[in-house]
Amino acid sequence: MKFPRSEGYLVVDSKKCAGCLSCMLACALVHEGEENLVLSRIQISRNTFGLYPKDIKAGTCLQCAKPKCVDVCPTGACYVDEVHGNVRVIDESKCDGCQQCLEACPLVPKMIIWNHEKNVAMKCDLCLNAPYWSEQGGPEGKQACVEVCPVDAIKLVKKVPKGPKVVLDEFNLREGNAR
Amino acid sequence: MTAGYAGKILRLNLTKRSISVIDTEEYEEWGGGHGMGSAIFWDLCKDKTIDGFDPRNSITIMSSPLSGTLVPGVSGRSEVQGIGIQQYPIGWFTRSNFGGRFSGMLKAAGWDGIVIEGAADTPVWVNIINDKVSFEDARNLWGLDTWETQQEIWKAVTGNAGLGEWLRIGDAQTTQRPAVLCIGPAGENLSRSASLIHDAGNGAGQGGFGGVWGSKNLKAVSVQGTGGIKIADPKALMDARLWLEQYFSYQKGEQAVPSGCEGCIKLCTFRSQKYGNGSSCADAFWYSGEMGNTEVSLDDTQKSTDLAQKYGVNICDIMAYVQKLTFGGYLLTLYEMGILGPGKTIDSAPLPWDKLGTLEFSEALLKAIAYREGIGNDLAEGPARAAKKWGRLEEDLASGILALPQWGMLWHWSLPGVEWPFGSILGDRDIAEHDFEFHKVDAEKKEHDFESLLVDEDTNEHELTRNRPTGVAIYPDQTPEQLVELLAGKTIPYTGDPFMFSYAWQGTNGSNMAEALKTGIYSRHKAKMVAWHRHYTRFWKQSILYCDWMFSNFTSAIKPDHSGFTPEAEPRFLNAVAGQNLSFADGMEIGRKVWNLDRAIWILQGRHRDMEKPAAFLFKPGIAVDNPLPVYINGKWSVDVSLVDVFLDESGVETFKTNFYEFEGWDTSTGWPSRGTLEDLGLQGVADELESAGKLGSSGTYNGE
């Protein structure tokens, strides 16, 4: 199947990241209304004894051009939201918890987030549906993780960043690239 | 259950290797952190007069409703309490506090705190994975340093999962490593200068709790949690977070690689290609700059500090030994005097004095303390007890070469800001609360800076980079009157009294004594200010756990009126999370209650007015650090930079104490709270216990209303 490209991409500079987990706390807060690192759709893991830059691994959904999560979903819960900038999203009410999307995700860490409390899969929607936030999200709006990051290590870009595959967590937001 | 809390407190009995559960609700009136810890200690540790090494000593590690949330400067902090072993002459019931991510993980596992009682017969570590708690054999970890210990525990809990991989825990999954709090060799060898260490350098050093854990055969507590924390008003929390970031916007876009505690924006530490990420700021100060004839290299400073973290040695104690810039340098001074050294009166083996200023010396010193080798056996008892053993304590406290202003703990910012030595002597420890540390801001600079070691990410060069300010800034466009009015307007509930912030002292020849007694450092106004500071810190900083390095915040470079976010931020965040509509003043009143409860414990331990005397060297010139302070003299406010001369006057301090006890509603002859004062706070049971010990104040009414 062919899918229209997303009109927004969340990129993280893991070399700039402070490891404070604020993005994760903000993500869970605006989406779930609670603080929960496990339910965050952006994941920062840190080896506090590791040496820079391999001490932090950042994970964000890449809004893949060919989203396998959408491809494998048997219920249509995971789909491309053509009304809102082609963001790849999951409608939790349609998710039957089969976890095929989770298995299909090629990223490390897999960026389909398993909500073990509701038995549904979740993913980054660029804050399109962030019911616990006063701001509007999506490719034209704001993202909670971007807003709270104290070092501007997360950014929404409009085009697929150039570079090797699966390196959005190593996107350079230093120097001229910082907002 | 109130939002923000996990709902349960884990009670560990190491003797029986059993657990039980305390319902958090029973202690919610105390807020969290220190207040809850003191109340739990009061209830569980029946005999408050026991020694810190006694197995009956109850140690609490508490979070707050804000732990593990998006509230900056709180989220990662934990409060540790119990009877300490560091302080001299008595190991008071005391506290320490550490950052990182331990408290957030603890709440994610479903616990608001941990109480540790008893002592294990062989070394154990405690493995907490959500509601599963087990006592694990730690004999294979005994002897490992704090970094090795944590990584071994990670392996035991997470197996070989790579960084960033999802790890299955029951039905849930996480990418996070367990949060571990542990001791190193110093704690195992029962040093009074031993710390608890979490991650690379978040340490709870003061109080000597590392040695207490060692005496309990407790090597580590590991927590892995996958749960959530309920938030009363998520939108309000997100809005408050973004509001506070406005006060801290200037670090955006900087080139260095700062890092920080969970949920924070202040980012006081750094990521490095060479060193541990927790050895920043004052930690690294213990072995830096000029030392003897050597300038310590940055490399040796960082490596020496990392070693202190690994051995689990309390850096605040070892700061006393060879770093002269902090009124310490005690060992170095004795060495230079020819009293201490190879073959001298005090034999200093195994310290290689010819290598002072290098890593070889610092490593030998740390190793000697951690393993009690040679002179290290004396130093493992802390600087005061070492000096006592050498027969030098009184003499060296009088001359000031041993700079321990109170309770055997090192000089910090002890003067010219008198709330520091006064708050410390009235309490249990060096307060280490920088709220009223005044700094003058240069006209060309936007903000007063602390310099902190950071790493340039591209060149990997280590350089000094700006850290964010704490304390009170004095701006060039601000008159002294505006400054004290600003402070007087923010210090709820004692607003409207600018004299609280006058640091007028008696002067070198004593000629200004009348002013010092009337409006200055010994006055009723200063007593009120010190009381405000005690109550504020006991609740907002030590119970709700707002970090000392970010709160309070009276002044701002960014706001046109220079008004900082205190007292707006403190209740705003708490109410967004817990939804209890608590006012700043409500919090201050709980703080007063916690302070009085702590006071009662100290009194049962033997505290009396007569003991509350700063060390002799504070009554002599030449000790204050160079900080400007507001003063009111001859009807006029000014900002005085000459206060570097400040020293205390003995009768002035006694007057101050009387003023302070009167304000708090404590008996002025003993310093003990009256029944009326305690009962007004709802502490009838405390009054009863003091009375049965014959230690209830006979008179006194709280004067703050």
Side-chain angles (χ1 to χ4, degrees):
Chain A
M1 266 183 84
K2 199 165 166 63
F3 300 96
R5 284 181 184 272
S6 175
E7 288 168 21
Y9 301 86
L10 201 60
V11 293
V12 181
D13 186 347
S14 61
K15 288 184 177 173
K16 202 176 180 195
C17 171
C20 67
L21 313 182
S22 293
C23 53
M24 295 173 69
L25 294 167
C27 178
L29 184 68
V30 301
H31 285 96
E32 314 301 325
E34 65 177 80
E35 294 292 21
N36 195 327
L37 297 178
V38 164
L39 300 184
S40 168
R41 297 138 194 247
I42 179 170
Q43 288 287 325
I44 306 293
S45 0
R46 184 172 186 192
N47 173 0
T48 41
F49 300 102
L51 296 178
Y52 178 87
K54 294 188 188 265
D55 53 334
I56 286 179
K57 170 79 183 153
T60 53
C61 171
L62 302 187
Q63 306 293 341
C64 299
K66 295 174 185 171
K68 289 185 178 168
C69 52
V70 175
D71 233 358
V72 300
C73 181
T75 67
C78 190
Y79 68 103
V80 174
D81 186 344
E82 296 186 14
V83 181
H84 299 104
N86 301 323
V87 183
R88 284 78 171 121
V89 298
I90 294 175
D91 179 348
E92 287 174 28
S93 68
K94 289 185 183 167
C95 175
D96 67 357
C98 71
Q99 300 196 8
Q100 288 186 56
C101 55
L102 206 154
E103 283 158 30
C105 177
L107 305 177
V108 178
K110 289 179 184 298
M111 288 318 296
I112 299 292
I113 311 301
W114 178 243
N115 186 330
H116 61 286
E117 291 166 4
K118 295 185 189 165
N119 277 325
V120 292
M122 310 188 304
K123 71 178 294 300
C124 172
D125 61 358
L126 303 180
C127 285
L128 263 180
N129 180 22
Y132 300 96
W133 196 18
S134 0
E135 298 285 350
Q136 189 62 48
E140 303 302 319
K142 289 182 175 177
Q143 291 72 42
C145 55
V146 173
E147 294 303 309
V148 301
C149 178
V151 290
D152 282 351
I154 313 171
K155 195 178 178 183
L156 186 85
V157 295
K158 295 287 178 185
K159 288 185 178 169
V160 186
K162 288 176 187 168
K165 282 182 184 174
V166 197
V167 289
L168 290 201
D169 66 319
E170 290 177 16
F171 194 77
N172 187 344
L173 291 173
R174 289 146 277 159
E175 309 204 37
N177 291 328
R179 69 177 169 185
Chain B
M1 187 184 66
T2 307
Y5 296 101
K8 308 189 303 281
I9 294 162
L10 175 63
R11 189 175 174 189
L12 302 169
N13 185 316
L14 295 175
T15 310
K16 296 178 186 164
R17 303 195 186 203
S18 64
I19 73 158
S20 53
V21 176
I22 298 170
D23 190 344
T24 305
E25 235 166 12
E26 289 175 38
Y27 292 97
E28 267 186 29
E29 64 180 289
W30 301 90
H34 189 98
M36 272 191 192
S38 291
I40 290 169
F41 178 87
W42 179 268
D43 290 345
L44 300 188
C45 187
K46 297 297 178 195
D47 183 354
K48 277 82 179 169
T49 64
I50 57 173
D51 185 80
F53 285 122
D54 192 303
R56 291 172 293 171
N57 189 6
S58 302
I59 304 301
T60 55
I61 300 153
M62 300 301 299
S63 70
S64 103
L66 307 191
S67 303
T69 73
L70 199 52
V71 186
V74 186
S75 185
R77 300 210 73 83
S78 310
E79 179 86 353
V80 183
Q81 290 159 268
I83 295 177
I85 53 174
Q86 174 196 20
Q87 281 86 330
Y88 178 88
I90 290 173
W92 299 115
F93 173 68
T94 191
R95 56 169 294 275
S96 192
N97 187 291
F98 66 98
R101 59 198 177 89
F102 187 87
S103 56
M105 193 61 96
L106 191 63
K107 297 244 310 263
W111 305 100
D112 290 305
I114 303 173
V115 187
I116 300 163
E117 297 168 287
D121 52 355
T122 56
V124 294
W125 65 279
V126 178
N127 188 10
I128 302 169
I129 301 175
N130 292 325
D131 55 0
K132 273 174 49 192
V133 181
S134 57
F135 294 89
E136 309 280 349
D137 189 347
R139 281 175 295 190
N140 61 327
L141 301 178
W142 211 252
L144 299 187
D145 72 36
T146 61
W147 293 9
E148 293 164 340
T149 300
Q150 293 180 73
Q151 290 174 88
E152 283 300 314
I153 288 175
W154 283 2
K155 264 190 246 166
V157 177
T158 65
N160 292 320
L163 191 64
E165 287 176 27
W166 288 104
L167 185 77
R168 278 275 173 192
I169 298 198
D171 296 336
Q173 55 179 9
T174 180
T175 63
Q176 305 300 301
R177 292 289 181 272
V180 182
L181 183 65
C182 70
I183 61 170
E188 293 174 8
N189 294 312
L190 309 183
S191 173
R192 294 177 190 271
S193 298
S195 54
L196 304 172
I197 297 287
H198 158 56
D199 281 345
N202 301 292
Q206 302 287 47
F209 289 111
V212 175
W213 277 35
S215 74
K216 291 180 178 297
N217 262 324
L218 178 60
K219 180 66 175 173
V221 175
S222 167
V223 193
Q224 180 75 293
T226 56
I229 301 160
K230 297 277 172 280
I231 303 298
D233 190 343
K235 284 184 182 173
L237 174 54
M238 189 68 178
D239 289 349
R241 161 79 181 214
L242 296 174
W243 163 74
L244 198 80
E245 285 204 11
Q246 297 168 19
Y247 288 83
F248 285 88
S249 60
Y250 48 92
Q251 188 154 332
K252 296 221 172 196
E254 281 182 15
Q255 292 301 302
V257 191
S259 79
C261 296
E262 181 173 358
C264 199
I265 57 178
K266 201 168 179 194
L267 311 177
C268 305
T269 58
F270 57 88
R271 296 169 63 192
S272 167
Q273 289 184 325
K274 277 173 92 176
Y275 310 119
N277 59 46
S279 298
S280 61
C281 197
D283 272 5
F285 195 54
W286 88 274
Y287 203 72
S288 66
E290 267 183 47
M291 205 150 279
N293 299 320
T294 313
E295 177 87 15
V296 185
S297 71
L298 217 46
D299 192 50
D300 281 357
T301 290
Q302 287 308 116
K303 285 177 176 163
S304 303
T305 310
D306 281 350
L307 275 176
Q309 319 281 21
K310 290 181 185 180
Y311 285 124
V313 173
N314 175 10
I315 291 172
C316 292
D317 265 359
I318 57 173
M319 194 93 76
Y321 295 143
V322 286
Q323 176 56 276
K324 282 195 165 184
L325 283 174
T326 48
F327 296 91
Y330 184 49
L331 296 188
L332 180 53
T333 305
L334 292 178
Y335 174 74
E336 287 167 351
M337 290 163 72
I339 294 165
L340 179 149
K344 303 288 183 183
T345 312
I346 304 166
D347 187 10
S348 64
L351 304 183
W353 284 102
D354 56 328
K355 298 289 189 335
L356 180 68
T358 70
L359 182 63
E360 197 176 331
F361 183 92
S362 61
E363 185 163 14
L365 175 60
L366 289 164
K367 199 159 162 275
I369 294 171
Y371 293 97
R372 291 182 171 270
E373 295 168 349
I375 194 173
N377 193 40
D378 295 343
L379 300 177
E381 295 295 300
R385 286 176 176 83
K388 175 88 175 166
K389 188 184 174 199
W390 301 333
R392 303 196 55 89
L393 183 62
E394 297 303 316
E395 180 186 343
D396 294 345
L397 283 178
S399 69
I401 66 167
L402 179 59
L404 313 175
Q406 71 288 305
W407 313 133
M409 300 174 85
L410 184 64
W411 180 274
H412 200 155
W413 281 98
S414 305
L415 282 173
V418 288
E419 72 284 347
W420 200 299
F422 290 171
S424 300
I425 198 70
L426 292 162
D428 52 309
R429 53 164 284 179
D430 170 64
I431 55 173
E433 295 157 354
H434 299 71
D435 305 81
F436 298 103
E437 189 187 298
F438 288 78
H439 296 271
K440 221 167 187 174
V441 178
D442 294 340
E444 68 271 19
K445 275 205 253 173
K446 270 197 147 177
E447 193 58 273
H448 64 289
D449 307 323
F450 275 94
E451 290 187 327
S452 180
L453 189 74
L454 292 172
V455 189
D456 185 285
E457 58 181 322
D458 294 320
T459 63
N460 190 33
E461 282 175 6
H462 290 72
E463 56 180 29
L464 291 169
T465 308
R466 284 178 189 183
N467 195 349
R468 291 166 181 175
T470 188
V472 180
I474 304 171
Y475 296 97
D477 60 345
Q478 197 178 30
T479 66
E481 287 82 359
Q482 285 171 332
L483 173 67
V484 294
E485 289 294 340
L486 179 75
L487 295 171
K490 286 177 173 289
T491 35
I492 296 169
Y494 310 142
T495 47
D497 180 2
F499 293 131
M500 283 165 65
F501 308 100
S502 171
Y503 288 84
W505 67 299
Q506 71 274 14
T508 312
N509 59 7
S511 60
N512 197 43
M513 191 63 179
E515 192 75 69
L517 289 167
K518 192 179 168 200
T519 60
I521 63 172
Y522 310 120
S523 69
R524 288 168 185 274
H525 307 279
K526 189 56 71 185
K528 200 198 301 181
M529 183 267 209
V530 173
W532 185 91
H533 198 205
R534 308 311 326 124
H535 305 167
Y536 174 82
T537 51
R538 271 301 186 265
F539 184 72
W540 291 111
K541 284 167 81 158
Q542 289 144 20
S543 296
I544 301 305
L545 297 177
Y546 285 109
C547 181
D548 179 61
W549 224 229
M550 195 163 146
F551 286 79
S552 52
N553 179 270
F554 291 110
T555 51
S556 164
I558 292 159
K559 300 290 167 182
D561 61 354
H562 293 310
S563 176
F565 52 71
T566 293
E568 189 179 350
E570 291 92 340
R572 180 170 175 176
F573 283 111
L574 181 59
N575 291 330
V577 171
Q580 288 178 307
N581 200 24
L582 198 90
S583 70
F584 185 86
D586 293 338
M588 293 296 290
E589 186 66 0
I590 302 172
R592 186 168 77 86
K593 181 172 171 174
V594 178
W595 172 239
N596 272 272
L597 177 59
D598 285 356
R599 183 80 184 171
I601 298 171
W602 302 325
I603 288 164
L604 291 171
Q605 287 185 286
R607 183 66 66 88
H608 186 278
R609 173 179 180 136
D610 295 346
M611 300 175 81
E612 297 186 326
K613 289 186 195 295
F617 74 95
L618 272 79
F619 298 92
K620 293 193 323 181
I623 48 166
V625 290
D626 186 9
N627 259 33
L629 289 169
V631 292
Y632 180 80
I633 297 174
N634 300 329
K636 195 174 174 309
W637 283 99
S638 61
V639 170
D640 195 337
V641 290
S642 68
L643 289 168
V644 69
D645 297 333
V646 169
F647 56 89
L648 299 177
D649 174 85
E650 283 192 49
S651 71
V653 170
E654 290 308 311
T655 302
F656 168 82
K657 281 160 62 179
T658 299
N659 287 335
F660 185 83
Y661 301 148
E662 271 181 6
F663 185 81
E664 292 281 16
W666 300 350
D667 190 311
T668 53
S669 61
T670 56
W672 300 342
S674 69
R675 175 168 287 279
T677 297
L678 293 171
E679 288 192 346
D680 281 351
L681 289 163
L683 298 172
Q684 289 86 353
V686 174
D688 294 344
E689 190 156 336
L690 286 184
E691 186 164 32
S692 62
K695 292 187 168 185
L696 192 61
S698 57
S699 63
T701 308
Y702 170 57
N703 280 312
E705 289 165 306

